[in-house]
Amino acid sequence: MTALPANQFIVGVDLGGTNIVVCAMSADGSRQYGLCSEPTAAHEGADGVIARMARMVNTAVADTMREAGVSRDAFLGVGVGAPGPLDREKGIVLVAPNLNWHNIPLRDRMTELTGLAAALDNDANCATYGEWWVGAARGAKNVIGMTIGTGIGGGIILDGRLYHGSSDVAGEIGHTTIDQTGRRCGCGNYGCLEAYASGTAIAERAREALSFEQLSILPDLVNGDVSKITAATVYAAAAQSDAVAIEIVRDTARFLGTGIANLLNVFNPDCVVIAGGVTQAGEALFVPLRQEVRRRAFKPAVDACRIVPGTLPGTAGVVGAVATFIAQHTGRPPA
Amino acid sequence: MTALPANQFIVGVDLGGTNIVVCAMSADGSRQYGLCSEPTAAHEGADGVIARMARMVNTAVADTMREAGVSRDAFLGVGVGAPGPLDREKGIVLVAPNLNWHNIPLRDRMTELTGLAAALDNDANCATYGEWWVGAARGAKNVIGMTIGTGIGGGIILDGRLYHGSSDVAGEIGHTTIDQTGRRCGCGNYGCLEAYASGTAIAERAREALSFEQLSILPDLVNGDVSKITAATVYAAAAQSDAVAIEIVRDTARFLGTGIANLLNVFNPDCVVIAGGVTQAGEALFVPLRQEVRRRAFKPAVDACRIVPGTLPGTAGVVGAVATFIAQHTGRPPA
């Protein structure tokens, strides 16, 4: 694959429910400029949010022109990662509950406000593509990406290309059932992976455990108010050898391992990359997780696959938005 | 896509644990010649089985030459579907427990004995490709195929091409967990779809139900020897409105629906095609199965996908072996 020249540039935008992250990158992926983050302020409505995104893009362009000493002609366009579901072909955000958006033609609005060609993709897809382009999944052919935060998002790369499925909703890994009669999920279903292993679920399971187990430092870490326990509290307690927290992390590893083993047996990828707060738990999570995968998946699938934490915390999405622009613009994966 | 000419021919071979099925087809998929089936007789060893396969291929070639009035030059090659795991690139069957085969260079042996170029692929992949080429999944872009018999096999077609994964073991749908603490599976794992919904599991669940439920015609259908109950017995009893059998079919639908919903949420296919004995249960299976999928999968994924029984019972594998030869020979899907 021939890389695009290093003297061409693309701006990436990662639109999240809480923050907007923007940066510019050289088209060969080697240099990054003008990385910045601002609150999304969804209450201002779609017009307000899009105007802010455009201002941030224009600032990133100006910063890059100055720092890299290039002209505006050096910019090929802007890639945008947004919460889905999307109509990628039309560049429309169909529904984004956290933003209260419906049928917003985000791609064309970005072009109007920045004068740059634009491409749109799902945020979880972008995060996976970012890790593949310049992060932990670099060099892999078939990749499953998981982003574990409030929920569990997923992205799939097959042969270097994002796989979108027949109606652009592929990769909803968080909503695969691992226990058909299990915990209720926010989606209405029972037993989804997300209902067990998302940050929200980890905190919930910790509160449940404390209802019948007093020997734990978890309450102390939140000044006695267990409603304030988050997944990060659990990782912190586990790092201090708290038995309750360690068990919750181990169970989380087992749940994630089950979901990932399913993906290994059907996709047979060469890399699974896991991003999000849960990776703070480190080897305490990854060791039992890989063990559960080995227990459940076929050996040739296990042997073919490395399971690794992401290496671009906070920027995988914006970097992947750049990569997805390159893929849509050139018709082939970025080199 | 340009079809290969109708005056060129390929022979397909479907090597199963019980039978070998062979036929020849015109390269455009429109005509079939010399369909025949013989017992595999695995006890004769790999050399004996391969010699039989080659004889059957040579007979199919002779039959086709006579019936279609063509010369031997009209034959492009032979496609072989075999139980896996395989090394497709080298054309080797790595392990086939039912045949007691280890590292058998099946592709090259077929070429030696028939003088024809050969291609090798997994039997479940071939069955899926057959249904896509000329069967129930025709016209679809992204397809999941399931073959439900003694076990549950799977094949995946993305954009008209069989998807093999990073080490040729993709598509092991039967061994995805739907209940992490559930029934023991033959693979050693707990809660695999196959442990719930294979023919073997259906018969097992029927015997379990009869241990605490006497009001059923199932024992009568096997002259009182419940150890003789098979999945087919259950479908027959359900067709006669037997309440126990009907519940087993409904539970089977729910289990399959859970596994298929997982596939819809990650692959977002436009067709799921189900083959094997279980389709004998007809709408009694498919109605509650589609209902369970609607309950568990995302609406855009459900709306994009039809879930249908295969239309090539007994021949999907051999037809797909022809299709896989064409794909490997021409580098593109058969038209």
Side-chain angles (χ1 to χ4, degrees), chain A residues 151-152 174-176 178 182-187 189-198 200-202 204-205 208 255:
Chain A
I152 296 184
H175 301 283
T176 53
I178 59 165
R183 296 175 77 93
R184 187 76 189 258
C185 181
C187 75
N189 189 13
Y190 291 87
C192 289
L193 179 57
E194 178 166 306
Y196 289 87
S198 68
T200 317
I202 291 168
E204 242 173 60
R205 289 192 290 109
E208 286 169 17
F255 299 137

Coordinates of all heavy atoms in Angstrom, one line a residue, chain A residues 151-152 174-176 178 182-187 189-198 200-202 204-205 208 255:
Chain A
G151 N -21.1 2.2 28.2 CA -21.6 1.0 27.5 C -20.4 0.2 26.9 O -19.3 0.5 27.3
I152 N -20.7 -0.7 26.0 CA -19.6 -1.4 25.3 C -19.9 -1.3 23.8 O -20.8 -1.8 23.2 CB -19.6 -2.9 25.6 CG1 -19.2 -3.1 27.1 CG2 -18.6 -3.7 24.8 CD1 -19.1 -4.5 27.6
G174 N -21.4 -5.2 22.4 CA -21.9 -5.1 23.7 C -23.3 -5.7 23.9 O -23.7 -6.1 24.9
H175 N -24.0 -5.9 22.7 CA -25.3 -6.4 22.8 C -25.4 -7.8 22.2 O -26.3 -8.2 21.4 CB -26.4 -5.5 22.2 CG -26.3 -4.2 22.9 ND1 -26.9 -4.0 24.1 CD2 -25.7 -3.0 22.6 CE1 -26.7 -2.8 24.6 NE2 -25.9 -2.1 23.7
T176 N -24.4 -8.6 22.5 CA -24.5 -10.1 22.2 C -24.8 -10.7 23.6 O -24.2 -10.3 24.6 CB -23.2 -10.6 21.6 OG1 -22.1 -10.2 22.5 CG2 -22.9 -10.0 20.3
I178 N -24.6 -13.3 26.4 CA -23.7 -14.3 27.0 C -24.4 -15.2 28.0 O -23.9 -16.2 28.5 CB -22.4 -13.8 27.6 CG1 -22.7 -12.8 28.7 CG2 -21.6 -13.1 26.5 CD1 -21.5 -12.5 29.6
G182 N -30.1 -14.0 31.7 CA -29.3 -13.2 32.7 C -29.7 -11.8 32.9 O -30.9 -11.5 32.8
R183 N -28.8 -10.9 33.3 CA -29.1 -9.6 33.8 C -29.8 -8.8 32.7 O -29.5 -8.9 31.5 CB -27.8 -8.9 34.1 CG -27.0 -9.5 35.3 CD -25.7 -8.8 35.5 NE -25.8 -7.5 36.1 CZ -25.8 -7.3 37.5 NH1 -25.5 -8.3 38.3 NH2 -25.9 -6.1 38.0
R184 N -30.7 -7.9 33.1 CA -31.4 -7.0 32.2 C -30.4 -6.0 31.7 O -29.6 -5.4 32.4 CB -32.5 -6.3 33.0 CG -33.4 -5.4 32.1 CD -34.4 -6.3 31.3 NE -35.1 -5.6 30.3 CZ -36.4 -5.3 30.4 NH1 -37.0 -5.5 31.5 NH2 -37.0 -4.7 29.4
C185 N -30.5 -5.7 30.4 CA -29.6 -4.7 29.8 C -30.4 -3.4 29.5 O -31.6 -3.5 29.3 CB -29.0 -5.3 28.5 SG -27.9 -4.1 27.6
G186 N -29.7 -2.3 29.4 CA -30.3 -1.0 29.0 C -31.1 -1.1 27.7 O -32.0 -0.4 27.5
C187 N -30.7 -2.0 26.8 CA -31.4 -2.1 25.5 C -32.7 -2.9 25.6 O -33.4 -3.0 24.6 CB -30.4 -2.8 24.5 SG -30.3 -4.6 24.8
N189 N -33.0 -6.1 26.4 CA -32.7 -7.5 26.3 C -32.2 -8.0 27.6 O -31.8 -7.3 28.5 CB -31.7 -7.7 25.2 CG -31.4 -9.1 24.8 OD1 -32.2 -10.0 25.2 ND2 -30.4 -9.4 24.1
Y190 N -32.1 -9.4 27.7 CA -31.5 -10.0 28.9 C -30.2 -10.7 28.6 O -30.1 -11.4 27.6 CB -32.5 -11.0 29.5 CG -33.7 -10.4 30.1 CD1 -34.8 -10.1 29.3 CD2 -33.8 -10.1 31.4 CE1 -35.9 -9.5 29.8 CE2 -34.9 -9.5 32.0 CZ -36.0 -9.2 31.2 OH -37.1 -8.6 31.7
G191 N -29.2 -10.5 29.4 CA -28.0 -11.2 29.3 C -26.9 -10.7 28.4 O -26.0 -11.4 28.0
C192 N -27.1 -9.4 27.9 CA -26.1 -8.8 27.0 C -24.7 -8.7 27.7 O -24.7 -8.4 28.9 CB -26.5 -7.4 26.6 SG -27.9 -7.4 25.5
L193 N -23.7 -8.8 27.0 CA -22.3 -8.6 27.5 C -22.2 -7.3 28.2 O -21.6 -7.2 29.3 CB -21.3 -8.7 26.4 CG -19.8 -8.4 26.7 CD1 -19.4 -9.4 27.8 CD2 -19.0 -8.5 25.5
E194 N -22.8 -6.2 27.7 CA -22.8 -4.9 28.3 C -23.4 -4.8 29.7 O -23.0 -4.1 30.5 CB -23.6 -3.9 27.3 CG -23.6 -2.5 27.9 CD -24.1 -1.5 26.8 OE1 -23.4 -1.4 25.7 OE2 -25.0 -0.8 27.0
A195 N -24.4 -5.7 29.9 CA -25.1 -5.7 31.2 C -24.2 -6.3 32.3 O -24.5 -6.2 33.5 CB -26.4 -6.5 31.1
Y196 N -23.1 -6.9 31.9 CA -22.1 -7.5 32.8 C -20.8 -6.8 32.9 O -20.2 -6.7 34.0 CB -21.8 -9.0 32.4 CG -23.0 -9.9 32.6 CD1 -24.0 -10.1 31.6 CD2 -23.1 -10.6 33.8 CE1 -25.0 -10.9 31.8 CE2 -24.2 -11.5 34.0 CZ -25.1 -11.6 33.0 OH -26.2 -12.5 33.2
A197 N -20.4 -6.2 31.8 CA -19.0 -5.8 31.8 C -18.7 -4.4 31.4 O -17.6 -3.9 31.3 CB -18.2 -6.7 30.8
S198 N -19.8 -3.6 31.2 CA -19.6 -2.1 30.9 C -19.2 -1.5 32.3 O -19.3 -2.1 33.3 CB -20.9 -1.5 30.5 OG -21.8 -1.5 31.5
T200 N -20.7 0.9 33.8 CA -21.9 1.0 34.6 C -22.2 -0.4 35.3 O -22.5 -0.4 36.5 CB -23.1 1.3 33.6 OG1 -22.7 2.3 32.7 CG2 -24.3 1.7 34.4
A201 N -22.1 -1.5 34.6 CA -22.4 -2.8 35.1 C -21.4 -3.2 36.2 O -21.7 -3.8 37.2 CB -22.4 -3.8 34.0
I202 N -20.1 -2.8 36.0 CA -19.1 -3.1 37.0 C -19.4 -2.4 38.3 O -19.4 -3.0 39.4 CB -17.7 -2.7 36.5 CG1 -17.3 -3.6 35.3 CG2 -16.6 -2.7 37.6 CD1 -16.1 -3.1 34.5
E204 N -22.3 -1.3 39.3 CA -23.6 -2.0 39.8 C -23.3 -3.2 40.6 O -23.8 -3.5 41.6 CB -24.5 -2.3 38.6 CG -25.8 -1.6 38.6 CD -26.5 -1.9 37.3 OE1 -26.8 -3.1 37.0 OE2 -26.8 -0.9 36.6
R205 N -22.4 -4.1 39.9 CA -22.1 -5.4 40.6 C -21.3 -5.1 41.9 O -21.5 -5.9 42.8 CB -21.3 -6.3 39.6 CG -22.2 -6.8 38.5 CD -21.5 -7.9 37.7 NE -20.4 -7.4 36.9 CZ -19.2 -7.7 37.1 NH1 -18.8 -8.4 38.1 NH2 -18.2 -7.2 36.3
E208 N -23.9 -4.3 44.5 CA -24.6 -5.5 44.9 C -23.8 -6.3 45.8 O -24.3 -6.9 46.8 CB -24.9 -6.3 43.6 CG -26.1 -5.8 42.8 CD -26.2 -6.5 41.4 OE1 -25.6 -7.6 41.3 OE2 -26.8 -5.9 40.5
F255 N -16.6 -12.5 32.1 CA -17.7 -12.1 31.2 C -17.1 -11.7 29.9 O -17.5 -12.1 28.8 CB -18.5 -11.0 31.8 CG -19.1 -11.4 33.1 CD1 -19.1 -10.5 34.2 CD2 -19.8 -12.6 33.3 CE1 -19.7 -10.9 35.4 CE2 -20.4 -13.0 34.5 CZ -20.4 -12.1 35.6

